[in-house]
Coordinates of all heavy atoms in Angstrom, one line a residue:
G25 N 53.7 100.9 3.9 CA 54.9 101.8 4.2 C 55.1 102.8 3.1 O 55.3 104.0 3.4
L26 N 55.0 102.3 1.9 CA 55.2 103.2 0.8 C 54.1 104.3 0.7 O 54.3 105.4 0.4 CB 55.3 102.4 -0.5 CG 55.6 103.2 -1.8 CD1 56.9 104.0 -1.7 CD2 55.6 102.3 -3.0
T27 N 52.9 103.8 0.9 CA 51.7 104.7 0.9 C 51.9 105.8 2.0 O 51.7 107.0 1.7 CB 50.4 104.0 1.2 OG1 50.2 103.0 0.2 CG2 49.2 104.9 1.4
A28 N 52.4 105.5 3.2 CA 52.5 106.4 4.3 C 53.6 107.4 3.9 O 53.6 108.6 4.4 CB 52.9 105.7 5.6
S29 N 54.7 107.0 3.2 CA 55.8 107.9 2.8 C 55.4 108.9 1.7 O 56.1 109.9 1.5 CB 57.0 107.1 2.5 OG 56.9 106.4 1.3
R30 N 54.4 108.5 0.9 CA 54.1 109.3 -0.3 C 52.8 110.1 -0.2 O 52.7 111.1 -0.9 CB 54.1 108.4 -1.5 CG 55.5 107.9 -2.0 CD 56.3 109.1 -2.5 NE 57.7 108.7 -2.8 CZ 58.6 109.6 -3.2 NH1 58.3 110.8 -3.4 NH2 59.8 109.2 -3.5
F31 N 51.8 109.6 0.5 CA 50.5 110.2 0.6 C 50.5 110.8 2.0 O 50.3 110.1 3.0 CB 49.4 109.3 0.3 CG 49.3 108.8 -1.1 CD1 50.1 107.7 -1.5 CD2 48.5 109.4 -2.0 CE1 50.1 107.3 -2.8 CE2 48.5 109.0 -3.3 CZ 49.3 107.9 -3.8
L32 N 50.6 112.1 2.1 CA 50.7 112.8 3.4 C 49.5 113.7 3.7 O 48.8 114.1 2.8 CB 52.0 113.7 3.4 CG 53.3 113.0 2.9 CD1 54.4 114.1 2.8 CD2 53.7 111.8 3.7
A33 N 49.3 114.0 5.0 CA 48.3 115.0 5.3 C 48.7 116.4 4.7 O 49.8 116.8 4.8 CB 48.2 115.1 6.8
C34 N 47.7 117.0 4.1 CA 48.0 118.3 3.4 C 47.8 119.5 4.4 O 46.7 119.7 4.9 CB 47.1 118.5 2.2 SG 47.3 120.0 1.4
P35 N 48.9 120.2 4.8 CA 48.7 121.3 5.8 C 48.1 122.5 5.2 O 47.8 123.5 5.9 CB 50.2 121.5 6.1 CG 51.0 121.1 4.9 CD 50.3 120.0 4.3
F36 N 47.8 122.5 3.9 CA 47.2 123.7 3.2 C 45.8 123.5 2.8 O 45.2 124.4 2.3 CB 48.1 124.0 2.0 CG 49.5 124.0 2.2 CD1 50.3 123.0 1.8 CD2 50.2 125.1 2.9 CE1 51.7 122.9 2.0 CE2 51.5 125.0 3.1 CZ 52.3 124.0 2.7
G37 N 45.2 122.3 3.1 CA 43.8 122.1 2.7 C 42.9 121.9 3.9 O 43.2 122.2 5.0
A38 N 41.7 121.3 3.6 CA 40.7 121.1 4.6 C 41.1 119.9 5.4 O 42.0 119.1 5.0 CB 39.4 120.8 3.9
P39 N 40.6 119.8 6.6 CA 40.9 118.6 7.5 C 40.7 117.3 6.8 O 39.6 117.1 6.1 CB 39.9 118.8 8.7 CG 39.7 120.3 8.7 CD 39.7 120.7 7.3
G40 N 41.7 116.4 6.9 CA 41.5 115.1 6.2 C 42.0 115.1 4.8 O 42.2 114.0 4.2
E41 N 42.3 116.2 4.2 CA 42.8 116.2 2.8 C 44.3 115.8 2.8 O 45.1 116.1 3.7 CB 42.7 117.6 2.2 CG 43.0 117.6 0.7 CD 42.8 119.0 0.1 OE1 42.3 119.9 0.8 OE2 43.0 119.1 -1.1
R42 N 44.6 115.0 1.8 CA 46.0 114.5 1.6 C 46.6 115.1 0.4 O 46.0 115.6 -0.5 CB 46.0 113.0 1.5 CG 45.5 112.3 2.8 CD 45.6 110.8 2.7 NE 45.0 110.4 1.5 CZ 45.3 109.2 0.8 NH1 46.3 108.5 1.3 NH2 44.7 108.9 -0.3
M43 N 47.9 115.0 0.4 CA 48.7 115.4 -0.8 C 49.7 114.3 -1.2 O 50.1 113.6 -0.3 CB 49.4 116.8 -0.6 CG 50.4 116.8 0.5 SD 51.1 118.4 0.7 CE 52.3 118.1 2.0
Y44 N 50.1 114.3 -2.5 CA 51.0 113.3 -2.9 C 52.4 113.9 -3.2 O 52.5 114.9 -3.8 CB 50.5 112.7 -4.3 CG 51.5 111.8 -4.9 CD1 51.9 110.6 -4.4 CD2 52.0 112.1 -6.2 CE1 52.9 109.8 -5.0 CE2 53.0 111.3 -6.8 CZ 53.4 110.2 -6.2 OH 54.3 109.4 -6.8
R45 N 53.4 113.2 -2.6 CA 54.8 113.7 -2.7 C 55.3 113.0 -4.0 O 55.5 111.8 -4.1 CB 55.6 113.3 -1.5 CG 57.0 113.6 -1.6 CD 57.8 113.2 -0.3 NE 59.1 113.7 -0.3 CZ 60.0 113.4 0.6 NH1 59.7 112.6 1.6 NH2 61.3 113.9 0.5
T46 N 55.6 113.9 -5.0 CA 56.0 113.3 -6.3 C 57.4 112.9 -6.4 O 57.7 112.0 -7.2 CB 55.7 114.4 -7.4 OG1 56.7 115.5 -7.2 CG2 54.3 114.9 -7.4
G47 N 58.3 113.5 -5.6 CA 59.7 113.2 -5.8 C 60.3 114.0 -7.0 O 61.5 113.8 -7.3
D48 N 59.5 114.8 -7.6 CA 60.0 115.6 -8.8 C 60.4 117.0 -8.3 O 59.8 117.6 -7.5 CB 58.9 115.8 -9.8 CG 58.6 114.5 -10.5 OD1 59.6 113.7 -10.7 OD2 57.5 114.2 -10.9
L49 N 61.5 117.5 -8.8 CA 62.1 118.8 -8.5 C 61.6 119.9 -9.5 O 61.8 119.6 -10.8 CB 63.6 118.8 -8.4 CG 64.2 117.9 -7.3 CD1 65.7 117.9 -7.5 CD2 63.7 118.4 -6.0
V50 N 61.0 120.9 -9.1 CA 60.5 122.0 -10.0 C 60.7 123.3 -9.4 O 61.3 123.5 -8.3 CB 58.9 121.8 -10.2 CG1 58.6 120.5 -10.8 CG2 58.2 121.9 -8.8
R51 N 60.4 124.4 -10.2 CA 60.4 125.7 -9.6 C 59.4 126.5 -10.4 O 59.2 126.3 -11.6 CB 61.8 126.4 -9.8 CG 62.3 126.6 -11.2 CD 63.7 127.1 -11.3 NE 64.2 127.0 -12.6 CZ 65.5 126.9 -12.9 NH1 66.4 126.9 -12.0 NH2 65.9 126.8 -14.2
W52 N 58.8 127.5 -9.6 CA 57.8 128.3 -10.2 C 58.5 129.4 -11.1 O 59.5 129.9 -10.7 CB 57.0 129.1 -9.2 CG 56.0 128.2 -8.4 CD1 56.1 127.9 -7.1 CD2 54.8 127.7 -8.9 NE1 55.0 127.1 -6.8 CE2 54.2 127.0 -7.9 CE3 54.2 127.7 -10.2 CZ2 53.0 126.3 -8.0 CZ3 53.0 127.0 -10.3 CH2 52.4 126.3 -9.3
R53 N 57.9 129.7 -12.3 CA 58.4 130.7 -13.1 C 57.6 132.0 -12.9 O 56.5 131.9 -12.3 CB 58.3 130.3 -14.6 CG 59.1 129.1 -14.9 CD 59.1 128.6 -16.3 NE 58.3 129.3 -17.3 CZ 58.5 129.2 -18.6 NH1 59.5 128.4 -19.1 NH2 57.8 129.9 -19.5
S54 N 58.1 133.1 -13.3 CA 57.4 134.4 -13.1 C 56.0 134.4 -13.8 O 55.1 135.2 -13.4 CB 58.2 135.5 -13.6 OG 58.6 135.4 -14.9
D55 N 55.8 133.6 -14.8 CA 54.6 133.5 -15.6 C 53.6 132.5 -15.0 O 52.5 132.3 -15.6 CB 54.8 133.2 -17.1 CG 55.4 131.9 -17.3 OD1 55.7 131.1 -16.3 OD2 55.7 131.5 -18.5
G56 N 53.9 132.0 -13.8 CA 53.0 131.0 -13.2 C 53.0 129.6 -13.6 O 52.3 128.8 -13.2
Q57 N 54.0 129.3 -14.5 CA 54.2 127.9 -14.9 C 55.4 127.3 -14.2 O 56.1 128.0 -13.5 CB 54.5 127.9 -16.4 CG 53.4 128.4 -17.3 CD 53.6 128.1 -18.8 OE1 53.2 127.1 -19.3 NE2 54.3 129.0 -19.5
L58 N 55.5 126.0 -14.3 CA 56.5 125.3 -13.5 C 57.6 124.7 -14.5 O 57.2 124.2 -15.6 CB 55.9 124.1 -12.8 CG 55.1 124.4 -11.5 CD1 54.3 123.2 -11.1 CD2 56.0 124.8 -10.4
D59 N 58.8 124.9 -14.1 CA 59.9 124.2 -14.8 C 60.2 122.9 -14.1 O 60.3 122.8 -12.9 CB 61.2 125.1 -14.7 CG 61.2 126.2 -15.7 OD1 60.7 126.1 -16.8 OD2 61.8 127.3 -15.4
Y60 N 60.4 121.9 -14.9 CA 60.7 120.5 -14.4 C 62.2 120.4 -14.4 O 62.8 120.6 -15.5 CB 60.0 119.4 -15.2 CG 60.4 118.0 -14.8 CD1 59.8 117.4 -13.7 CD2 61.4 117.3 -15.4 CE1 60.1 116.1 -13.3 CE2 61.8 116.1 -15.0 CZ 61.1 115.5 -14.0 OH 61.5 114.2 -13.6

Protein backbone atom coordinates (compact mmCIF):
# COMPACT_ATOMS: atom_id res chain seq x y z
CA GLY A 1 0.00 0.00 0.00
CA LEU A 2 2.75 2.42 0.91
CA THR A 3 4.69 1.51 -2.24
CA ALA A 4 1.64 2.21 -4.41
CA SER A 5 1.09 5.62 -2.77
CA ARG A 6 4.71 6.75 -3.17
CA PHE A 7 6.05 5.12 -6.35
CA LEU A 8 3.85 6.31 -9.21
CA ALA A 9 3.79 5.98 -13.00
CA CYS A 10 5.77 8.90 -14.42
CA PRO A 11 3.68 10.82 -16.98
CA PHE A 12 6.78 12.61 -18.27
CA GLY A 13 9.03 9.62 -19.01
CA ALA A 14 9.17 6.49 -21.12
CA PRO A 15 6.47 3.82 -20.81
CA GLY A 16 6.86 1.91 -17.55
CA GLU A 17 9.02 4.56 -15.89
CA ARG A 18 8.12 5.47 -12.34
CA MET A 19 8.67 8.47 -10.13
CA TYR A 20 8.95 8.79 -6.36
CA ARG A 21 6.67 11.19 -4.47
CA THR A 22 8.92 12.75 -1.82
CA GLY A 23 6.39 14.66 0.29
CA ASP A 24 8.82 17.60 0.25
CA LEU A 25 7.69 21.09 -0.73
CA VAL A 26 10.05 23.03 -2.99
CA ARG A 27 10.05 25.77 -5.61
CA TRP A 28 12.26 26.44 -8.61
CA ARG A 29 14.45 29.54 -8.43
CA SER A 30 15.30 31.68 -11.40
CA ASP A 31 18.85 30.26 -11.38
CA GLY A 32 17.59 26.68 -11.87
CA GLN A 33 18.12 25.61 -8.27
CA LEU A 34 15.46 24.44 -5.82
CA ASP A 35 14.49 26.01 -2.50
CA TYR A 36 13.42 23.48 0.14
